[in-house]
Amino acid sequence: MNVRTGKLAALVVCAALAGRLSAQDKPAPVKDAALSAQKPAAVGQEPAPMFPFVLPWDDASKTLVDVSALNPTPAGRDGFIVAKNGHFYDEKNRRIRFIGASITADNAFPDKATAQAEAARMHKFGFNIMRLHHMDASWSKPGIFDPAQNDTQHLTKDALDRLDYLIYQLKENGIYANLNLHVSRTYLPGDNLPETDKLPGLGKIVTFFYPRMIELQKQYARDLLTHLNPYTKLRYVEDPAVAVVEINNENTLLGAAFDGSLDALPPAYKTELARQWSVWLKTKYATTEGLRRAWSAGDKPYGPNLLENADFMRGAEHWTLERNTAPADGALELPENVPAPNGVAGKVLRVQVKTLGGQNWHLQLHQTGLDLTEGEPYTVSFWAKADRNRPLPVGVRLDTGDYHNIGLDATASLTTEWRQFTYAFTVNRSQRSHNRLSFVLGDALGTVDLAGVILRPGAQTEFLGGLSVEAATVPPAHPADNPAGRDWIAFLIETERAYMATMRDFLKKELKVRANITGSQVTYGGLGGALRETDSDFGDIHSYWQHPDFPRKQWDMADWRIANIAMTRDAGGGGLSYLAHYRLAGKPFTVSEYNHPAPNDFQAETIPLLTAFACLQDWDGYYLFEYGGGRSDSDRIKGFFAIDSNPAKMAFLPAAALMFLRNDLPLAREELRLHLSADNVANLMAKNGADGGPEWEAAGVTYPSALTHRLSLSFAGGKPAPDDANPAGKRDEANRPASVGPFVWRAIGNDNPVVTADSPSSKMIVGFLGGQSVEVAGWRVAMTATPSQFAAFTLSALDGRAMEQSRSLLLTAVGRVENTGMQWNADRTSVGEHWGTGPTLAEGVPGTVTITTRAVRATVYALDGTGKRLAPVPSALHGGVLTFVIGPAHKTLWYEVEAAWTK
């Protein structure tokens, strides 16, 4: 979950918000509206025929879909995995790519029989790494910490033994381990920390700077990583099957400054952070006078208030309450019994938030049409309170086009008492008379009161009485495009980097960890987070497409919705293109959480699209969130994320392993590299907010470039902005085709977008091809029209030969997949608590398949859920072309083509 949202939950806490941008920064309300208009024809129509198709939880049978030979046993047989030349290699200099999944919470502590069966099944499906995640969760039963203790400093012997045995079984089945140190640790009173009951959820944020907490993290790492696994006879620090150690999952101090979370820290932690800030300022400026000169250098006198009806004396005139997407709803009021704060002229405008939308920006209060001058300083100030403590994001951005931020991206932390908030900023990338002041209201239900709103040219640095660098009494600042704001960002960047350096040195130098170490995900902290991770062995990132939204109460499993839109419909590549912009140049790159959560009708696109795109970008690994696991409910889709019993995901794993681990698909021919100066990151974040994006645009690289070029980000140095954005590689964005090479994402110009990938031995077709015929180099699918028109197909040569020469082909064809008795709402955006029961049902994708082959004889078979032959499928081979019809009658997602060269 994106820490910047401030919404953490114990149920599925690692699920990140979907889409390219965080909720606060989503710029264009037009985007989702356009996609919604393209929703599939399935809504309100009879569904296509479906049949039971179950993948047994403990199946490790040696059938056609067994791809375990791709991953030699035991894991680590050829030495430690090392990061070099931008990729992972074993000690025999063989490049290693990873396909994995997260094993979360109590699933990381199975009984021995379950561990044996699951590891063998994972091996069959091509997994070669598993991410042990949420082991430190308080809700995990069992969990890594002893529940009999009033602290988190004692490991549970039983849980540790279960974990040891699972990792042993993974190793024996050619599967490496990724161990996560801090994910969701909930500190207890016995940990000798102040106010543990008031800490941010999952122990986030404070882990970066509070000394006692860092001590506890080191102790846990020592206890876990240096103990002897009795089954492998090795400590984790010396086991080559432990390939990765993650220090701190989805965490950022810097991002918390942008979303207002730092304001809500308990006093003891605020005090410590302020102390460290004061030390940093004294090192930089030495004296109070030096600070005063630096911070006031850009001050300009205030001009008049640019807002119309800023005192609300004419009600809501010139103000707009935007209800962007249903069900978000609210109302404006002028409460006569609520006076404005003392000394503030005018009335109070109250916003009643009645219903939340899927994102907080779905409900916003604006004043538009503002004329702001590029490069000039401005100041926003306002008084606000609420009926409960809550965040109130405030920003200044365009009121047209892509709605990008033009200088102010802050979050006010409201309480039930009036408080004045003041933010200075410099205008960046504005348009004449097309700028707006926005208050984002969709974070919580209830009321928000506003008064005395001012937006005026000029900026005046306020030096409070008693402020002294020498006496360490300079209060923490807020991110802003002014000297104080830029210093605050720079301080937090340095604090994050110092913490990670401390932990890496401890792990590598003191504990002698041999695994590859990463700090946290590169987007946590925006460009500052990416800069932080340049010191890690590799870069890592998370993303989800069409994450479920909870309109009224977070993680209310009876009240949620999804957009139910295929990523294939996004001409820019959706979340995949977003990921590509954050690869760190010269380092391996992995995506350790990814999913298109169930019950999306188009979830079958998840693994084929991710795998083909990862090949195109030459990435080094990806993990699905999450594996799931266990014997119970193993014949049904268990929820949003578990893939182990979801045929829409698992059925594609053999094909994905063949494509990615064999390195079948060629990578993009050219690379675009964005060069930024590390010293300029604080300035860029002050201008553009917590998330990157404008830096690429300034370099002339459009978003869909990731569909045709490899992308990477470098902080190796350069001139200050704006000249530091300097991509390398030839490009002609104006004349670039929709896509080139082996990976083609057809532009949205019709109602039938299709994505294809082609290599001699692995091929893919994904999208809305119902009623049309699509060919990929000798393989044609003519799909019969269906209500949704959607399906995903892969064709894989199991023997690694070119398709026309292969003796054994696997065709995977998947449309819609759901549980028996799953009950959708009227507009097919939620099933609420009505997920249904087993067995899982699959849509029998209908159509005619033709394959060019040199064989003189070929037989097609339908396969069952273990990959065994069910029955022959009628086929004809004439003139080197094999033709057969697929559909629900065969009751399968897998088809085998057995070819022979002699009669």
Side-chain angles (χ1 to χ4, degrees), residues 689-707:
D691 294 310
E695 297 79 20
W696 284 95
E697 296 169 10
V701 179
T702 61
Y703 206 80
S705 295
L707 302 179

Side-chain angles (χ1 to χ4, degrees), residues 441-517:
L441 295 148
D443 279 301
L445 298 173
T447 61
V448 172
D449 292 345
L450 294 168
V453 184
I454 298 172
L455 169 58
R456 55 187 171 180
Q460 294 289 312
T461 303
E462 183 178 4
F463 289 89
L464 302 175
L467 181 148
S468 168
V469 168
E470 295 84 352
T473 58
V474 182
H478 290 88
D481 193 12
N482 58 38
R486 289 190 289 271
D487 270 350
W488 181 239
I489 294 170
F491 161 70
L492 296 175
I493 289 174
E494 290 186 25
T495 301
E496 286 199 1
R497 297 187 76 181
Y499 160 79
M500 289 299 181
T502 296
M503 291 301 298
R504 277 192 303 270
D505 286 349
F506 174 75
L507 293 172
K508 290 191 172 188
K509 296 179 181 179
E510 187 165 338
L511 301 189
K512 309 299 182 184
V513 169
R514 297 287 300 274
N516 296 277
I517 295 174

Side-chain angles (χ1 to χ4, degrees), residues 42 124 135 165 212 266 343 471 477 597 610 651 654 657 673 715 775 824 880 901:
K124 171 177 178 172
M135 296 183 297
Y165 192 78
R212 170 60 180 163
L610 173 62
R673 178 170 296 179
F715 296 96
E775 183 171 359
W824 286 90
W901 264 250

Side-chain angles (χ1 to χ4, degrees), residues 46-364:
E46 288 297 319
M50 305 187 81
F51 54 87
F53 194 82
V54 173
L55 304 172
W57 77 274
D58 57 351
D59 171 47
S61 57
K62 299 299 181 181
T63 64
L64 186 84
V65 298
D66 175 19
V67 293
S68 59
L70 293 170
N71 299 308
T73 60
R77 182 191 68 180
D78 296 324
F80 287 92
I81 303 298
V82 296
K84 62 180 182 179
N85 302 323
H87 299 295
F88 292 125
Y89 295 85
D90 63 23
E91 291 189 52
K92 290 189 175 180
N93 208 36
R94 180 173 65 101
R95 184 175 171 187
I96 302 295
R97 277 178 162 174
F98 290 121
I99 292 181
S102 292
I103 303 177
T104 62
D106 50 307
N107 286 320
F109 310 105
D111 60 63
K112 289 182 170 59
T114 300
Q116 290 177 359
E118 289 186 337
R121 184 190 190 228
M122 293 168 185
H123 192 208
K124 171 177 178 172
F125 276 82
F127 289 109
N128 62 353
I129 195 166
M130 284 287 154
R131 183 173 180 250
L132 285 305
H133 188 63
H134 281 305
M135 296 183 297
D136 55 352
S138 60
W139 65 88
S140 180
K141 309 297 180 187
I144 198 69
F145 296 122
D146 188 347
Q149 305 293 328
N150 191 31
D151 59 33
T152 58
Q153 300 174 62
H154 298 82
L155 304 189
T156 308
K157 291 183 179 179
D158 176 61
L160 193 57
D161 183 71
R162 288 168 177 256
L163 176 67
D164 287 340
Y165 192 78
L166 173 62
I167 290 176
Y168 164 65
Q169 284 299 313
L170 294 175
K171 179 176 182 175
E172 291 298 296
N173 283 278
I175 301 170
Y176 290 85
N178 172 339
L179 298 177
N180 294 188
L181 295 182
H182 183 101
V183 182
S184 48
R185 185 175 182 176
T186 302
Y187 293 92
L188 299 174
D191 288 320
N192 193 28
L193 290 165
E195 299 183 277
T196 53
D197 59 327
K198 297 179 182 178
L199 285 173
L202 313 183
K204 301 288 187 181
I205 304 171
V206 288
T207 54
F208 281 96
F209 68 88
Y210 201 72
R212 170 60 180 163
M213 197 164 284
I214 296 172
E215 291 176 12
L216 291 172
Q217 293 175 72
K218 289 181 177 180
Q219 177 187 328
Y220 173 58
R222 184 190 300 277
D223 292 346
L224 177 65
L225 300 177
T226 65
H227 94 282
L228 183 71
N229 184 327
Y231 305 103
T232 64
K233 312 300 182 186
L234 292 169
R235 300 177 304 151
Y236 289 140
V237 295
E238 61 191 8
D239 190 342
V242 177
V244 173
V245 171
E246 294 182 23
I247 294 174
N248 211 316
N249 175 71
E250 291 190 350
N251 205 348
T252 172
L253 174 66
L254 178 59
F258 278 88
D259 73 9
S261 299
L262 292 186
D263 294 336
L265 290 180
Y269 301 94
K270 281 186 178 180
T271 299
E272 173 58 26
L273 186 60
R275 183 193 68 78
Q276 295 180 25
W277 162 242
S278 294
V279 171
W280 188 89
L281 288 174
K282 187 172 183 180
T283 300
K284 182 171 183 178
Y285 294 112
T287 67
T288 303
E289 184 56 32
L291 174 68
R292 187 186 302 273
R293 286 196 304 268
W295 280 12
S296 60
D299 284 0
K300 287 189 175 182
Y302 288 131
N305 192 352
L306 303 179
L307 299 175
E308 298 283 351
N309 189 30
D311 56 7
F312 307 118
M313 291 300 292
R314 301 194 302 276
E317 183 179 324
H318 294 289
W319 295 91
T320 302
L321 183 63
E322 179 183 334
R323 303 164 183 83
N324 184 271
T325 302
D329 192 21
L332 299 179
E333 305 170 359
L334 291 173
E336 295 296 334
N337 61 338
V338 179
N342 290 335
V344 177
K347 295 184 177 182
V348 172
L349 180 68
R350 170 167 290 178
V351 185
Q352 178 77 43
V353 182
K354 298 179 179 179
T355 307
L356 302 182
Q359 306 286 353
N360 63 354
W361 54 271
H362 286 178
L363 192 67
Q364 301 186 49

Side-chain angles (χ1 to χ4, degrees), residues 472-659:
T473 58
V474 182
H478 290 88
D481 193 12
N482 58 38
R486 289 190 289 271
D487 270 350
W488 181 239
I489 294 170
F491 161 70
L492 296 175
I493 289 174
E494 290 186 25
T495 301
E496 286 199 1
R497 297 187 76 181
Y499 160 79
M500 289 299 181
T502 296
M503 291 301 298
R504 277 192 303 270
D505 286 349
F506 174 75
L507 293 172
K508 290 191 172 188
K509 296 179 181 179
E510 187 165 338
L511 301 189
K512 309 299 182 184
V513 169
R514 297 287 300 274
N516 296 277
I517 295 174
T518 194
S520 194
Q521 284 60 47
V522 292
T523 52
Y524 279 73
L527 283 180
L531 176 61
R532 177 195 64 228
E533 296 307 313
T534 58
D535 298 320
S536 294
D537 291 324
F538 67 100
D540 182 65
I541 197 169
H542 294 171
S543 183
Y544 294 75
W545 175 257
Q546 300 298 330
H547 190 282
D549 297 328
F550 300 89
R552 276 159 284 272
K553 179 183 177 183
Q554 285 296 302
W555 299 105
D556 183 341
M557 300 307 293
D559 185 14
W560 56 269
R561 63 188 293 274
I562 57 173
N564 206 2
I565 298 167
M567 191 166 74
T568 309
R569 289 196 179 276
D570 189 324
L576 294 175
S577 290
Y578 165 73
L579 298 174
H581 287 73
Y582 278 92
R583 178 176 185 166
L584 301 177
K587 290 185 178 292
F589 187 71
T590 65
V591 183
S592 66
E593 287 187 23
Y594 188 86
N595 211 329
H596 297 203
N600 192 306
D601 283 323
F602 313 102
Q603 59 184 306
E605 70 183 357
T606 307
I607 292 176
L609 289 184
L610 173 62
T611 305
F613 191 80
C615 289
L616 181 82
Q617 292 292 327
D618 201 20
W619 292 346
D620 298 279
Y622 66 76
Y623 306 67
L624 284 306
F625 187 88
E626 58 176 333
Y627 184 75
R631 303 166 186 253
S632 63
D633 293 330
S634 60
D635 65 343
R636 65 187 287 269
I637 298 171
K638 301 169 185 175
F640 300 127
F641 305 104
I643 67 165
D644 65 313
S645 57
N646 187 338
K649 313 287 176 62
M650 287 294 294
F652 280 111
L653 257 300
L658 292 166
M659 180 183 288

Side-chain angles (χ1 to χ4, degrees), residues 635-638 817-822 835-841:
D635 65 343
R636 65 187 287 269
I637 298 171
K638 301 169 185 175
V817 174
E818 60 185 42
N819 290 330
T820 299
M822 184 175 277
W835 283 82
T837 63
T840 45
L841 302 177

